[in-house]
Amino acid sequence: MNDELDIRHSRKEFLTHAVIIDTEAPSRVLSPQESAELPAVHIGMMFGSADDAINQMHHHIRKSVMMPQARGRGGWIETSILADEHWTEERIKRKIDQAADLGVEIFFIDACWYTEKGKESEWRYKVGDWDTDPKRFPDHLQRIINYVHEKGMLWGLWMDPERIGWDSNAYQEHLDFHALNIVGKPGPEGWVRAADNNVLMWVEQQIRHVIETYQCDLFRLDFNVNQPDIATRTDRGNAFEQDQLRYYENMYAMWKRLRKDYPNVIFENCAGGGARTDLGMMQNFCHTWVSDWQRAPRSFQIINGMTMALPPELVDREVGEMEGYSRGSLEFQMRIALFGRISFGTLGAPTEYDYNPEQMEIIRHALQIYKEFYRPFQYECLIYHHTQDLGQTGTADYGVLEVTSPDHKKGMIGIFKLKGNGENRIVVKSKGILESGKYHLTFDNRRASCVLEGFVLNNQGIQICLEGALSSELVLYEMV
């Protein structure tokens, strides 16, 4: 009797998993002799804390999932000229000068490089015609490309290759390419049915054309299809198939071919601001744009959550556009970006005006920390989420992130006050410091420093005082 009870109780400690393909049915219709492979599922098991599990997952992603970084490294600092600006070659070159002066490493042109002059805002409806307007750029951007390279930066272009805009020439030329929604009608976003191999071949040809014609060092993918429209169908004999499985099987294979054929091109993933961050997609890219939402405090919530799923060097954080300037100081936003991969928007000033020197000093200082202190160990760093649960609506008063080198000899802690109420003081106990070590600490707000024992930092912690909502502190530490 006792043995039976012991067996029954032990069974309660078993862990079970259920993996479900969450699509409309039928998700796959097979022809005679055809086979299909289901999407890969990554399962790991360990004993430890949530931070331990996150870091083990990051190790797995880095070593077993991701392709090697293009050009032998990552963490490039980039900026772009935006889709809603009225460009001239002179304005673009001025923007390039500003970027080079700050030490930016990649300059790319975002959506609308293929539109007519004065019609930049129509970028969404013109996708599919992937060439510059000869009246606007008669040299196919060659002078711009050369100028970027002369300034010591890499060059890139944005592309939304999986759609055909209804005002493009390609729309009329390829009416049979349009995806049908689940009830058999064309979707409103111009999404192409790349589950069909012939359509996929056309998409791949367009991508290769852009990379080769415009000599791209960076290729920025975008995908602007609303979630309700992604359930599309293809008629297959006496049944129709919901396209997603076949579509992404084709997409993953295509991106793998492109990465192999263009090993020096930096492939950047983006999907309407932050979708498609699954490992099937990510393994074929160098990093991903996780959100168009840059306003604080949600900008911290995004980096806090996304670095639980992906290693921080794969997670882009932008400063300077998408309304990021409307909440929180530049310093607050720069410190958030330090815990991911830094990207710039307006670079602190409209194109035709001079910089604010105080803003430029904040940017230069943050970039110096990123390049000289953090980036050398970012691609193997451990990350600790001190505030894992920020509440469904961001109700937490503070957010705290910490990164450290794998030998625990150096790292940094970001402390962010997210709300105006609550205590202005918080005690932070390091998770990345060795108790047996002694560390030199630098408090970035005052540029003050001290030396403390690792035991004190881990067990007693350091008290940080912040003055109100959307203020922050950055603490750098290094073993002495």
Side-chain angles (χ1 to χ4, degrees), residues 158-205:
W158 172 101
M159 192 179 184
D160 191 357
E162 297 160 71
R163 291 194 311 112
I164 299 178
W166 53 75
D167 282 347
S168 67
N169 294 325
Y171 188 87
Q172 295 299 325
E173 294 169 1
H174 301 288
L175 291 173
D176 58 332
F177 282 10
H178 303 161
L180 303 178
N181 64 23
I182 205 65
V183 296
K185 296 182 179 180
E189 296 288 342
W191 193 14
V192 300
R193 50 185 185 87
D196 182 297
N197 289 332
N198 291 327
V199 179
L200 178 77
M201 185 182 300
W202 180 84
V203 172
E204 185 170 341
Q205 288 171 347

Side-chain angles (χ1 to χ4, degrees), residues 30-71:
L30 299 181
S31 302
Q33 307 302 317
E34 183 183 8
S35 63
E37 182 176 327
L38 295 178
V41 177
H42 300 257
I43 299 176
M45 191 171 182
M46 64 164 296
F47 183 82
S49 67
D51 283 320
D52 293 331
I54 289 167
N55 283 311
Q56 284 296 319
M57 181 171 66
H58 289 180
H59 178 77
H60 167 69
I61 291 171
R62 287 164 170 157
K63 301 300 182 183
S64 303
V65 176
M66 299 299 293
M67 297 178 70
Q69 283 289 325
R71 299 173 176 265

Side-chain angles (χ1 to χ4, degrees), residues 47-222:
F47 183 82
S49 67
D51 283 320
D52 293 331
I54 289 167
N55 283 311
Q56 284 296 319
M57 181 171 66
H58 289 180
H59 178 77
H60 167 69
I61 291 171
R62 287 164 170 157
K63 301 300 182 183
S64 303
V65 176
M66 299 299 293
M67 297 178 70
Q69 283 289 325
R71 299 173 176 265
R73 54 157 287 196
W76 303 90
I77 299 168
E78 71 179 43
T79 191
S80 68
I81 191 162
L82 307 179
D84 56 356
E85 295 190 46
H86 293 288
W87 306 341
T88 62
E89 185 172 318
E90 181 182 359
R91 292 190 72 191
I92 295 173
K93 287 184 174 180
R94 177 170 168 79
K95 200 80 161 182
I96 294 168
D97 290 339
Q98 293 173 346
D101 181 60
L102 277 172
V104 173
E105 297 160 326
I106 297 176
F107 184 93
F108 74 93
I109 295 184
D110 202 50
C112 81
W113 55 269
Y114 45 88
T115 62
E116 298 176 29
K117 181 175 175 58
K119 295 184 177 181
E120 291 88 346
S121 62
E122 298 178 12
W123 62 269
R124 175 181 287 273
Y125 315 118
K126 296 290 187 179
V127 294
D129 294 343
W130 298 114
D131 274 309
T132 53
D133 176 24
K135 294 182 179 178
R136 187 179 179 199
F137 297 114
D139 66 341
H140 291 288
L141 293 171
Q142 191 61 55
R143 287 196 297 272
I144 298 298
I145 297 168
N146 293 343
Y147 197 70
V148 170
H149 288 156
E150 288 169 10
K151 292 293 181 177
M153 294 183 290
L154 300 179
W155 153 260
L157 280 178
W158 172 101
M159 192 179 184
D160 191 357
E162 297 160 71
R163 291 194 311 112
I164 299 178
W166 53 75
D167 282 347
S168 67
N169 294 325
Y171 188 87
Q172 295 299 325
E173 294 169 1
H174 301 288
L175 291 173
D176 58 332
F177 282 10
H178 303 161
L180 303 178
N181 64 23
I182 205 65
V183 296
K185 296 182 179 180
E189 296 288 342
W191 193 14
V192 300
R193 50 185 185 87
D196 182 297
N197 289 332
N198 291 327
V199 179
L200 178 77
M201 185 182 300
W202 180 84
V203 172
E204 185 170 341
Q205 288 171 347
Q206 305 312 302
I207 295 170
R208 291 177 182 273
H209 165 73
V210 168
I211 290 174
E212 294 174 10
T213 301
Y214 299 99
Q215 306 155 51
C216 293
D217 303 310
L218 173 134
F219 176 90
R220 186 169 199 253
L221 171 70
D222 206 347

Side-chain angles (χ1 to χ4, degrees), residues 284-310:
N284 299 310
F285 287 82
C286 299
H287 52 264
T288 189
W289 189 265
V290 297
S291 179
D292 280 347
W293 191 297
Q294 315 298 341
R295 282 181 286 172
R298 188 173 169 183
S299 52
F300 177 82
Q301 292 174 268
I302 291 167
I303 193 74
N304 191 67
M306 285 304 304
T307 51
M308 293 183 191
L310 294 172

Side-chain angles (χ1 to χ4, degrees), residues 45 62 117 198 213 234 236 252 256 272 427 459 473:
M45 191 171 182
R62 287 164 170 157
K117 181 175 175 58
N198 291 327
T213 301
T234 298
R236 298 192 179 280
Y252 296 164
K256 189 169 293 186
V427 175
N459 293 279
E473 174 65 289

